[in-house]
Amino acid sequence: MSTIKTVDHYLELKVPSKFRATFTALRDLIRESAPELKETLKWGAPCYIRTSNVVGIVSLKNYVALWFYQGALLADPKNKLIQASEKTTALRQLRFEQPEDIDAEYLTTLLEQAVENDRQGKKVKPRRKQKPMTMPIELQQILDHDAKIKSNFEKLSPSKQREYIEHVGEAKRATTRETRERRAKKAEQLLSEGKGLNDQYRGEGE
């Protein structure tokens, strides 16, 4: 199996003949519109970098895809950028089957934005993975005992619900029974009033 060493080699070995004109047109447009980007290969496909990955081209079964690595930051007046999946945070793509699909003016605008964002060091912040929360039995008993309190709890935002779960959950590990009871009592009182655990510190309306 041959190792892909250059973009020309990729074009020869990986791009079906029906997509070669499209691939070449995209490649030429990138090099003309964003000459400061360096053409290289990453993950076996063409990639154009400045200080970081900016854009890439990959030939797939049914189309040629153009990937913007920080595409979520781009202003997209024509709403053509595609988010491949819900798990994709930064990457956005465009798909082309033939050279006529390429809107050069629109694509040049996106490339200019992408280069400028890279120049400024702008990046999409990765999503923080939160550990799944286990409902403490003390809090669950409060919710099961009073329908109004349960309704008030369910109306809270996920972050405010999490505050209660963590607060009462930590009480399970407290050294004294009085501490556990005090925290559960506080939660019950605030929830009966439809309040979040830390609303008093946030200010009214938050």
Side-chain angles (χ1 to χ4, degrees):
M1 183 175 180
S2 300
T3 301
I4 305 297
K5 296 181 179 180
T6 67
V7 175
D8 288 332
H9 200 200
Y10 178 90
L11 177 60
E12 178 185 351
L13 295 181
K14 294 293 185 180
V15 182
S17 57
K18 64 179 179 179
F19 290 145
R20 286 181 183 172
T22 304
F23 182 97
T24 299
L26 289 170
R27 183 188 185 191
D28 290 344
L29 182 58
I30 293 172
R31 293 195 290 187
E32 292 170 7
S33 301
E36 65 189 281
L37 298 182
K38 177 183 177 182
E39 183 180 75
T40 186
L41 290 169
K42 286 195 173 183
W43 307 286
C47 181
Y48 298 82
I49 64 174
R50 189 177 170 277
T51 55
S52 60
N53 301 331
V54 176
V55 65
I57 316 175
V58 61
S59 178
L60 300 172
K61 181 178 180 181
N62 298 315
Y63 54 84
V64 177
L66 188 70
W67 285 97
F68 288 94
Y69 286 89
Q70 297 295 323
L73 296 176
L74 301 178
D76 181 18
K78 295 192 176 183
N79 198 31
K80 289 184 177 181
L81 289 170
I82 300 168
Q83 182 178 5
S85 73
E86 292 182 359
K87 295 181 179 180
T88 303
T89 54
L91 284 168
R92 295 293 184 272
Q93 64 170 280
L94 294 169
R95 299 171 180 175
F96 308 90
E97 296 181 18
Q98 53 191 358
E100 290 74 19
D101 295 336
I102 300 172
D103 183 336
E105 182 178 354
Y106 166 70
L107 189 51
T108 298
T109 299
L110 295 181
L111 286 166
E112 290 173 348
Q113 286 186 63
V115 170
E116 182 58 29
N117 287 342
D118 186 75
R119 183 180 290 111
Q120 296 180 23
K122 293 182 178 180
K123 293 185 181 297
V124 175
K125 294 181 180 179
R127 294 173 181 168
R128 293 177 58 189
K129 292 184 178 180
Q130 293 186 327
K131 296 180 180 179
M133 299 295 293
T134 301
M135 177 69 74
I137 188 170
E138 293 87 352
L139 181 56
Q140 189 63 62
Q141 288 174 342
I142 291 171
L143 301 180
D144 291 343
H145 181 71
D146 191 309
K148 178 183 177 182
I149 288 178
K150 182 177 182 180
S151 176
N152 288 343
F153 179 81
E154 292 174 346
K155 290 176 183 177
L156 294 174
S157 66
S159 62
K160 290 186 177 183
Q161 290 183 10
R162 190 178 186 90
E163 287 175 351
Y164 274 114
I165 292 171
E166 290 178 342
H167 181 72
V168 180
E170 288 173 358
K172 292 179 68 175
R173 298 187 293 274
T175 57
T176 65
R177 181 176 180 180
E178 288 77 10
T179 301
R180 295 195 297 271
E181 291 178 347
R182 185 170 64 249
R183 291 191 180 188
K185 188 74 173 179
K186 178 181 179 181
E188 183 176 17
Q189 177 61 39
L190 290 173
L191 284 170
S192 70
E193 299 170 7
K195 296 179 180 178
L197 180 66
N198 297 311
D199 282 0
Q200 60 179 319
Y201 306 114
R202 294 190 177 94
E204 188 173 353
E206 293 188 21

